Amino acid sequence: MDLLVPETLPQSLRRGIVSRNLMAGQRLFRQGDRAAALFVVTDGRLRLVRCVGESNLATVQIVQPGESLGEAALLVDAYPETAIAETATWVLGYPKSLLLAALNEHPSLAETAVLLLTRKIQELTLRLEWRDIPMARERLLQYFRHLARSASRNEILLDRPLKEIAVDLGFTPETLSRSLSRLEQEGAITRSGRSIRLQDASAA
Amino acid sequence: MDLLVPETLPQSLRRGIVSRNLMAGQRLFRQGDRAAALFVVTDGRLRLVRCVGESNLATVQIVQPGESLGEAALLVDAYPETAIAETATWVLGYPKSLLLAALNEHPSLAETAVLLLTRKIQELTLRLEWRDIPMARERLLQYFRHLARSASRNEILLDRPLKEIAVDLGFTPETLSRSLSRLEQEGAITRSGRSIRLQDASAA
DNA sequence: CGCATAGTTGACTACGCTCAACCCTGGTGG
DNA sequence: CCACCAGGGTTGAGCGTAGTCAACTATGCG
């Protein structure tokens, strides 16, 4: 069973699926909203943002197609973060109660759910790993290397504003810009606009 | 079914469970090891450490009793991090193949697995949230507030060396020490040794 | 053509890191 | 019982890096 292909799902769950289309900037849910459903992105991407303290914003994750968000619905009754579409985005929503019920009745669904969550854990772990690299250039380089590995090519095309990439990595846009310059002048990368090529192929 | 109570598990899985006792400092598995099993901590705690680049260590998570580690085994064939016992620790290991099989046959197990993973996602998210707070005092304060909420008391007893707490939060021990001092002199907390009391009850 | 926004660069600040000395506690052995 | 040592913890001085504020350029869109 594949959560993204409703035809493969049991009737009971399929009927409850909600499909939502979001414009860039639109919110799927807000921190504190009653959490009733888990979502999976089919197209586009969403940014998960947490507000902590008085004025600190934390981007927890960028959710890409095939990944889940709002799993907290399974555990607690309020979303702990806000989900904002970064581009035009399409998501499918699975009501908590129906999903848990379907899980009990259809084991093969359980397996896909487990894999979905595991993938999310890997994503989060990766972000934490980056954050533990203190020096900006180094952190950025690791990020690029990861993208390169994912694409299995060492030419990367950044498909979104550097601004956003910056906050993902925990930088200000200025710092990102400077880091890019220095990486280039140190010969670690060459860039033209948003196309980046890694020079040394040494991966972690 | 409860993964931590073998009696409640199906025979097939129960037979395959491996139980391990670790001394403080001992490694359960190392980054790159063949990943064959998912573990759950029953007692003690483990630190998940990732080595990135040449000389950067990232503590991804402290795994507490009832939490899982090594879920990556379900997705990839090598552990992406090293697991080190921080104290005497007892874990149960569930071989990947048996676990997936049992998942398919015993839906109620699937539910507990899903919840387990969801909890882990929450933990990781929390850590990321902290890391996005740039100022040390503020970050530390949020950390304390979280502990206070968990204990639903605003007196906290830190049960491990400040050293370790420091690296969890992404600080050096010196910075943590200084932040503590300043929080105290600013009146946000009072402390005697490792006992911390929060002053203002304003939570996020 | 002009406006809005992304991106770049500069000057300055300030925070956390590094290195070092020091205190304090707990454990060990003479 | 005390001397000694090891390790955690604290404090200080100086440095370096990223953040901030600001000006300026480039790009894309109405």
Side-chain angles (χ1 to χ4, degrees):
Chain A
M1 289 187 189
D2 186 336
L3 280 168
L4 292 181
V5 186
E7 291 73 32
T8 65
L9 299 178
Q11 279 270 338
S12 62
L13 180 57
R14 200 197 317 179
R15 288 227 185 84
I17 292 180
V18 301
S19 160
R20 290 207 51 187
N21 248 307
L22 301 168
M23 307 293 295
Q26 202 175 351
R27 289 182 294 242
L28 178 56
F29 50 77
R30 280 193 298 264
Q31 191 166 351
D33 279 0
R34 230 182 79 67
L38 172 148
F39 295 89
V40 178
V41 176
T42 64
D43 200 28
R45 62 175 179 274
L46 288 141
R47 171 184 300 266
L48 299 184
V49 175
R50 276 197 179 205
C51 224
V52 48
E54 300 83 40
S55 58
N56 286 111
L57 276 188
T59 291
V60 169
Q61 198 192 1
I62 306 291
V63 187
Q64 307 274 357
E67 297 178 345
S68 64
L69 67 157
E71 332 69 19
L74 302 177
L75 214 56
V76 295
D77 54 356
Y79 291 113
E81 73 261 312
T82 299
I84 308 175
E86 286 207 327
T87 66
T89 300
W90 193 26
V91 299
L92 295 179
Y94 308 84
K96 168 182 181 172
S97 51
L98 292 181
L99 186 58
L100 286 177
L103 229 67
N104 277 326
E105 292 164 23
H106 305 272
S108 89
L109 179 63
E111 188 168 332
T112 67
V114 165
L115 295 184
L116 199 67
L117 295 177
T118 304
R119 193 161 312 128
K120 177 143 187 155
I121 289 174
Q122 289 202 304
E123 275 300 321
L124 291 173
T125 302
L126 201 56
R127 293 187 137 244
L128 268 167
E129 187 181 318
W130 293 333
R131 292 307 181 91
D132 262 309
I133 303 175
M135 193 136 327
R137 274 162 289 145
E138 183 81 12
R139 192 189 299 179
L140 184 57
L141 201 52
Q142 288 298 336
Y143 175 72
F144 284 152
R145 290 218 237 267
H146 169 71
L147 290 182
R149 269 195 302 272
S150 301
S152 53
R153 204 158 19 91
N154 42 337
E155 182 122 13
I156 309 161
L157 188 65
L158 305 175
D159 62 336
R160 55 205 177 109
L162 297 187
K163 229 183 148 182
E164 293 183 6
I165 298 179
V167 337
D168 285 3
L169 292 170
F171 298 139
T172 58
E174 294 95 322
T175 300
L176 178 59
S177 181
R178 282 188 248 266
S179 300
L180 274 170
S181 305
R182 293 186 62 176
L183 279 180
E184 191 173 14
Q185 99 186 31
E186 287 168 3
I189 65 171
T190 57
R191 76 182 280 225
S192 67
R194 283 192 188 155
S195 169
I196 310 278
R197 172 182 302 180
L198 296 187
Q199 239 36 355
D200 58 343
S202 70
Chain B
M1 289 189 190
D2 186 337
L3 279 170
L4 291 180
V5 186
E7 291 73 32
T8 65
L9 300 178
Q11 279 270 338
S12 61
L13 180 57
R14 201 199 313 181
R15 289 225 184 85
I17 292 180
V18 300
S19 160
R20 290 207 50 187
N21 249 306
L22 301 168
M23 308 292 296
Q26 203 175 349
R27 289 182 293 242
L28 178 56
F29 51 76
R30 279 195 298 266
Q31 191 166 353
D33 279 0
R34 230 183 79 65
L38 173 147
F39 296 89
V40 178
V41 177
T42 63
D43 201 27
R45 63 173 179 273
L46 288 141
R47 172 184 299 267
L48 299 185
V49 176
R50 276 198 177 202
C51 225
V52 48
E54 300 84 40
S55 59
N56 284 112
L57 276 188
T59 292
V60 169
Q61 196 193 359
I62 306 291
V63 187
Q64 307 273 359
E67 297 178 345
S68 64
L69 66 157
E71 331 70 17
L74 302 177
L75 214 56
V76 295
D77 54 356
Y79 291 113
E81 73 258 313
T82 299
I84 308 174
E86 284 206 329
T87 66
T89 299
W90 195 25
V91 300
L92 295 179
Y94 308 84
K96 168 183 181 172
S97 50
L98 292 181
L99 187 58
L100 285 177
L103 229 67
N104 276 326
E105 292 163 23
H106 304 273
S108 91
L109 178 64
E111 188 168 335
T112 68
V114 165
L115 294 184
L116 200 67
L117 295 177
T118 304
R119 195 162 310 128
K120 176 140 188 158
I121 289 174
Q122 290 202 302
E123 276 299 321
L124 291 172
T125 301
L126 202 55
R127 293 188 137 244
L128 267 168
E129 186 182 319
W130 293 334
R131 292 308 180 91
D132 263 311
I133 304 175
M135 195 137 325
R137 276 162 287 144
E138 184 81 12
R139 193 190 298 181
L140 184 56
L141 201 52
Q142 289 298 336
Y143 176 70
F144 284 153
R145 291 218 237 266
H146 169 71
L147 291 182
R149 270 195 301 272
S150 300
S152 52
R153 210 165 6 98
N154 34 331
E155 183 122 14
I156 309 162
L157 188 65
L158 305 175
D159 61 337
R160 54 201 177 113
L162 296 187
K163 232 183 145 181
E164 294 183 6
I165 298 179
V167 337
D168 284 3
L169 292 171
F171 300 138
T172 58
E174 294 95 321
T175 301
L176 177 58
S177 181
R178 282 188 247 265
S179 300
L180 275 170
S181 307
R182 292 187 62 177
L183 279 181
E184 191 173 17
Q185 99 185 30
E186 287 169 4
I189 64 171
T190 57
R191 76 181 280 221
S192 64
R194 283 192 188 157
S195 170
I196 310 278
R197 171 181 304 176
L198 295 187
Q199 240 34 357
D200 59 343
S202 71

